[in-house]
Amino acid sequence: MGFSYSGAVAMQLAADAAEKVHSLTLVEPPPVHVPSAPEFRAANEQLFAARRARGLEAALEEFLTLVIGPHWRTDMERHLPGSVEQMRRDSRSFFDIDMPALLAWRFAAEDASRIKCPVLHVGGTDSGPWFAEVRRLILGWFPNAEDVVVDGADHSLAITHTAKVAVALNSFMRRHPMSSSGEPR
């Protein structure tokens, strides 16, 4: 399972080691291969510029306001106390390692075709046009993928709509169980 950035990692693992991956759940993977990818990349360049000019705090503020909204701090703390401080602590790795790696990542339909396991995509109705494009791309790459759209959820859906995401994951895993040996049943 991969959420946002880790969705890219999960897809790459499923493509490179298909025999090791039983199922793949993608919760709003990043919009690096969609038609509006140049806009997404430009937004990331602005974040890198903010990081250089005004520091990590400013870049984190810009990023989370962009993907969640202006009240991200309040919303995150209400749903997961301590999360804002954890994001602050992780921001150096995110901006200096994860984002550059993501922007360098190349993945296309031929890579997706190596993924043979069941796929679930989970997204929110309020996540914006980038993630709507991601959803269409994922469903195009994986025509048999299951698709769950959480009404009223934005990109923070794993935190703000935990129960709905958990129900989707549980239902998917029940339909694609593994035996105690790790093999599909």
Side-chain angles (χ1 to χ4, degrees):
M1 183 206 165
F3 168 67
S4 194
Y5 170 83
S6 64
V9 175
M11 280 194 286
Q12 192 66 58
L13 175 65
D16 290 349
E19 72 285 353
K20 304 276 187 200
V21 178
H22 173 72
S23 62
L24 176 62
T25 298
L26 301 168
V27 181
E28 292 196 342
V32 290
H33 301 103
V34 297
S36 63
E39 181 183 317
F40 173 76
R41 290 175 185 282
N44 279 277
E45 288 303 323
Q46 288 178 344
L47 293 171
F48 290 139
R51 192 253 188 272
R52 287 188 301 273
R54 297 188 316 277
L56 286 168
E57 292 283 335
L60 183 65
E61 181 71 32
E62 275 188 47
F63 171 70
L64 292 172
T65 299
L66 177 68
V67 297
I68 296 174
H71 305 290
W72 69 269
R73 288 178 185 273
T74 306
D75 292 347
M76 291 299 97
E77 283 301 312
R78 182 177 63 247
H79 293 286
L80 187 59
S83 60
V84 171
E85 177 57 26
Q86 185 64 53
M87 287 182 223
R88 190 193 64 70
R89 285 194 307 267
D90 293 340
S91 63
R92 182 175 309 281
S93 294
F94 178 73
F95 284 105
D96 296 349
I97 298 168
D98 296 342
M99 283 180 64
L102 175 64
L103 295 174
W105 179 54
R106 300 295 175 246
F107 196 87
E110 53 272 10
D111 300 300
S113 71
R114 297 193 320 260
I115 298 173
K116 304 300 182 197
C117 64
V119 175
L120 169 66
H121 175 269
V122 180
T125 59
D126 296 351
S127 294
W130 290 344
F131 294 103
E133 284 186 12
V134 169
R135 177 178 175 259
R136 287 189 296 273
L137 178 67
I138 295 299
L139 297 177
W141 279 346
F142 309 107
N144 296 321
E146 297 179 36
D147 183 40
V148 173
V149 179
V150 180
D151 191 44
D154 61 26
H155 193 60
S156 62
L157 72 162
I159 295 172
T160 60
H161 292 74
T162 307
K164 290 180 181 180
V165 173
V167 166
L169 294 173
N170 183 45
S171 178
F172 179 69
M173 287 186 234
R174 286 181 182 270
R175 284 190 302 283
H176 304 286
M178 292 177 59
S179 69
S180 59
S181 68
E183 295 298 319
R185 282 198 240 171

